[in-house]
Amino acid sequence: MTTDATAASGGPPGEDAPTEEPAPRREKIEFKMRSLPALDGMRGIGALVVVLYHMTGHNKIWQMWGYGLVVLFMTMSGFLLTSLWLQRRYEVEHHPGRTFVRRRIFRVVPTNTIYTVGLGALLLLVFFFPPADTTDDSGGALDQGEQVEIVGGDGEGCRETDASPVVAAATNLVFVLNFFQADGMCGSVFSHLWTVNIEFQFYLLLPLFMMGLWRVAKRDPVKVGLIVTGVGSLLVWANRLRLDYSTDSAFQMAYFRTDMRFDSILIGIFTALALYRWGLPRRAGPWGLAAAVLFFAGGIGRSTMFQGGFFDWIGMDEIDLDLELGFWLQYQAFAVAVSGACFVVWAASRPPGAKSHILEQRWALWLGALSYSLYVIHLPFAGPSWLIAENDSLTNWHRAVAVIVGTAAAIFASWLLHIFVEQPFMRRGAHKDWDVPIVSAWREKRERSKDRTGGASEDDPAGRAAAETAPDRTGP
């Protein structure tokens, strides 16, 4: 019997049968979250483009680039934060709910609060003590709403009242300003912060969503998450398609409301879940970048040509701006979100330490570090540029100098805010023992109570009896 087995194996007695080598299989590249410099560079360049859009007085050439990059930011946020959550979940085998929320609060709230309180105080001064020599082009005194335009201004089509700046400041402090803007209220100098409001709402909802996935779909939560986010993004898109964009109210609802703009964040979450489930394709780099450029060009190309006068040049001047922006929200914004997913796949496929791309250069990474502060505080610096742009007696050189000086001032102010506010609070948020004094005192009292009762609560009869008989160990 041994001889037969040996003969069948084709080897000498006493040796194991040789095993056949399996055919080489095309394996996936495991994805693990790490620092992605290309995303930091894209945030920096994107924030600079948005600043230039506002500095140039809402120049139509920059408009669609600004709209597209805001969608791209939301997709990247959904991807990055979901990836960080998944990595933490699988490394320590528990949900980082409190840690996640704490870091996001310390990252976002201080800068937003300083800007809102500071500008809110300035607006109150302008409102209650208007400058005596503030006049319009006809020599008449400016009303409160026009005086607010000097500080920052707002978009067209919104409902402006004397109380709008105060309401905008109050609602922005609690990150619900975008809902009031969706209802038609002007956001004053806080109007650009609707994106920060939506992303902060996402920061609070993501822990609930992820913990719910693991509780409901215990066998394969990632698969269920892919289905939920994929279907959810399509439903949000379909919800925008049904609106009639011939009215300002429909456009404001689709542009500002969270449930109308959440598809880009859901696509980012979907991308992170997909990479953790299936890994990176072998040629994800070149194909991902090509797809990102293609979808982004499709997302802003038509509207950019419209804004630049191309359609007027070829005789299609009957196109209405509101309908064109509605078309962008209906179709092109979703394409930009898909381009963001392709972009993060390309960025994730880049080898660690690569610095050959323009997005990974030092100046782009530096702007990326300042991007949040720059985006939050830049709008008041655009006020002088707008006034100069509206003055017909000045040349384009004066306008260009005003844009350059305003942009440089906004970058310098954001750098100061990043150094003295953002970084200290971010370090504080990353520290484990960040408790405020009231919470620390409560925890110390609870620990002393456990020491006296042997772990039982003093609210229980057994705990009270143990506390009465236990020696006092809290004294000096």
Side-chain angles (χ1 to χ4, degrees):
M1 197 163 182
T2 306
T3 305
D4 295 340
T6 304
S9 66
E15 290 188 6
D16 295 334
T19 58
E20 292 186 5
E21 291 289 336
R25 188 174 58 182
R26 196 172 184 178
E27 296 181 353
K28 66 181 182 181
I29 305 174
E30 182 181 359
F31 172 72
K32 187 175 182 180
M33 188 58 194
R34 55 181 172 82
S35 176
L36 301 177
L39 298 190
D40 296 331
M42 176 56 78
R43 280 204 304 265
I45 294 176
L48 184 61
V49 170
V50 174
V51 170
L52 289 175
Y53 163 59
H54 287 140
M55 288 289 175
T56 54
H58 299 130
N59 184 279
K60 293 181 178 181
I61 299 298
W62 293 98
Q63 184 170 18
M64 301 317 301
W65 285 90
Y67 284 0
L69 288 169
V70 165
V71 174
L72 205 66
F73 290 162
M74 291 185 177
T75 305
M76 290 193 298
S77 293
F79 168 78
L80 286 170
L81 295 179
T82 306
S83 299
L84 291 172
W85 180 285
L86 289 171
Q87 182 173 344
R88 182 71 175 172
R89 173 66 180 80
Y90 285 118
E91 282 182 354
V92 301
E93 297 185 351
H94 73 81
H95 292 290
R98 287 184 296 180
T99 303
F100 179 88
V101 173
R102 180 180 73 234
R103 291 190 175 191
R104 302 286 79 75
I105 290 175
F106 275 80
R107 174 74 173 86
V108 175
V109 172
T111 302
N112 182 71
T113 302
I114 289 175
Y115 175 80
T116 305
V117 172
L119 264 293
L122 178 60
L123 291 175
L124 287 176
L125 286 176
V126 173
F127 182 81
F128 288 109
F129 304 101
D133 58 346
T134 303
T135 59
D136 57 16
D137 295 335
S138 62
L142 295 176
D143 59 20
Q144 285 87 349
E146 291 172 325
Q147 292 164 17
V148 168
E149 294 284 338
I150 298 175
V151 186
D154 216 318
E156 298 179 358
C158 58
R159 186 176 63 252
E160 179 72 57
T161 64
D162 291 345
S164 293
V166 178
V167 176
T171 53
N172 184 58
L173 279 176
V174 292
F175 298 96
V176 293
L177 170 63
N178 64 301
F179 291 105
F180 287 82
Q181 290 177 284
D183 191 43
M185 186 192 78
C186 289
S188 183
V189 287
F190 314 103
S191 58
H192 63 298
L193 296 179
W194 65 270
T195 58
V196 177
N197 284 222
I198 291 179
E199 291 202 24
F200 190 79
Q201 294 159 20
F202 159 63
Y203 299 156
L204 300 181
L205 292 175
L206 182 63
L208 300 177
F209 174 71
M210 299 300 285
M211 288 189 289
L213 278 182
W214 261 258
R215 183 176 294 273
V216 174
K218 296 182 179 179
R219 294 187 59 182
D220 198 346
V222 175
K223 179 180 179 181
V224 175
L226 286 168
I227 296 173
V228 171
T229 53
V231 174
S233 62
L234 293 176
L235 290 177
V236 174
W237 183 28
N239 198 23
R240 286 206 305 269
L241 289 177
R242 66 178 180 82
L243 296 177
D244 178 16
Y245 290 94
S246 60
T247 61
D248 288 333
S249 59
F251 175 78
Q252 289 163 351
M253 180 187 301
Y255 195 81
F256 293 114
R257 224 169 68 179
T258 302
D259 58 320
M260 294 285 186
R261 299 305 299 266
F262 223 62
D263 55 333
S264 53
I265 292 178
L266 290 175
I267 289 175
I269 299 174
F270 179 91
T271 306
L273 294 172
L275 290 182
Y276 267 83
R277 183 174 180 83
W278 296 306
L280 284 164
R282 280 289 177 182
R283 295 186 61 81
W287 286 108
L289 182 59
V293 173
L294 181 64
F295 277 105
F296 192 83
I300 71 168
R302 180 180 185 272
S303 296
T304 302
M305 289 190 296
F306 170 76
Q307 298 282 32
F310 177 77
F311 289 158
D312 295 339
W313 180 63
I314 62 176
M316 296 178 62
D317 54 352
E318 69 274 6
I319 297 178
D320 184 75
L321 176 60
D322 293 335
L323 294 179
E324 174 61 27
L325 294 178
F327 180 86
W328 186 86
L329 281 172
Q330 284 177 307
Y331 300 101
Q332 296 171 266
F334 194 83
V336 174
V338 174
S339 78
C342 298
F343 176 76
V344 297
V345 169
W346 167 78
S349 67
R350 300 273 293 166
K355 299 290 183 183
S356 59
H357 200 274
I358 187 174
L359 298 176
E360 296 160 343
Q361 299 303 313
R362 183 175 298 178
W363 64 271
L365 299 179
W366 181 73
L367 278 178
L370 305 181
S371 59
Y372 174 62
S373 294
L374 180 60
Y375 182 80
V376 169
I377 71 169
H378 76 275
L379 196 58
F381 294 93
S385 300
W386 293 353
L387 294 178
I388 292 176
E390 294 175 355
N391 192 332
D392 296 333
S393 64
L394 299 177
T395 64
N396 289 332
W397 285 106
H398 293 93
R399 297 184 180 95
V401 170
V403 169
I404 293 173
V405 172
T407 303
I411 293 176
F412 179 72
S414 65
W415 175 73
L416 293 178
L417 194 62
H418 177 73
I419 294 296
F420 295 106
V421 177
E422 266 194 273
Q423 286 188 343
F425 275 97
M426 287 170 64
R427 287 193 293 266
R428 189 68 172 169
H431 197 270
K432 187 175 181 180
D433 300 325
W434 62 280
D435 299 324
V436 295
I438 296 177
V439 178
S440 300
W442 174 77
R443 287 188 174 181
E444 290 177 3
K445 181 179 179 181
R446 187 179 61 178
E447 292 299 328
R448 290 197 300 267
S449 174
K450 286 184 177 180
D451 290 341
R452 297 177 61 192
T453 60
S457 173
E458 290 190 3
D459 295 332
D460 300 332
R464 284 196 297 269
E468 292 173 358
T469 58
D472 186 6
R473 294 192 293 269
T474 61

